[in-house]
Amino acid sequence: FPSVTTWSATDEMGFVRINQGEEVWKNPFGVGVEVATLYGDPSKQGIYVLRIKWPPGIMSKPHKHPEDRHVVVLSGTWYTGTGEAFVPEKSIPMKTGGYMVHPAGAVHWDGTREEGAVIQITGYGPSGNNFVRPDEPQFGKTN
């Protein structure tokens, strides 16, 4: 995930303010899934906050993270599934305002179907993506 090393949104007292539309989006996976790091650095020890913008019709393949992750759906419908079998049609929809915890080490997969979604993730790094089948593509189409 992209990290932030300078805070143009930090004031002289250390407060960070980033309005919607001011995020710095990056496309680290090359599949249209964009990531904005709002706070911290997920590759280092400490709290981080990410926003992930999912285009319609794409899901991550089964994977896990070394830390608990707290996820809030900011817009759209985000679909989630658990376990090592990637079965997008059995995913559970989470609407705007929905909240989910990804427990450390628990295999899951997630993404979108007919519409895009924006989610916000908070965790305590260092983070990482450990895919169940690392020799396969990390993302799959759902439509």
Side-chain angles (χ1 to χ4, degrees):
F1 291 108
S3 64
V4 172
T5 55
T6 59
W7 292 99
S8 59
T10 302
D11 70 14
E12 64 279 354
M13 294 174 53
F15 289 93
V16 176
R17 293 177 178 90
I18 302 171
N19 286 305
Q20 184 177 0
E22 296 175 345
E23 306 95 337
V24 177
W25 296 99
K26 300 189 178 181
N27 184 3
F29 308 111
V31 295
V33 175
E34 296 181 78
V35 179
T37 302
L38 302 182
Y39 184 82
D41 182 340
S43 71
K44 297 182 176 148
Q45 187 171 349
I47 293 175
Y48 64 84
V49 180
L50 306 173
R51 284 198 181 152
I52 302 180
K53 190 186 306 183
W54 292 85
I58 192 164
M59 282 190 177
S60 62
K61 295 284 186 83
H63 64 283
K64 60 187 175 181
H65 309 283
E67 81 287 8
D68 290 346
R69 298 177 117 199
H70 301 264
V71 185
V72 176
V73 181
L74 299 179
S75 66
T77 304
W78 178 62
Y79 289 83
T80 67
T82 59
E84 294 190 8
F86 180 65
V87 189
E89 58 274 10
K90 291 189 177 181
S91 59
I92 298 169
M94 305 277 305
K95 302 269 184 198
T96 299
Y99 168 77
M100 181 177 187
V101 173
H102 289 164
V107 176
H108 62 282
W109 36 275
D110 42 44
T112 57
R113 287 190 187 175
E114 4 358 89
E115 68 173 324
V118 177
I119 63 172
Q120 184 161 299
I121 299 174
T122 302
Y124 191 90
S127 185
N129 293 322
N130 300 308
F131 284 85
V132 171
R133 293 176 214 44
D135 53 326
E136 294 181 5
Q138 296 178 357
F139 294 88
K141 298 284 186 186
T142 60
N143 59 8

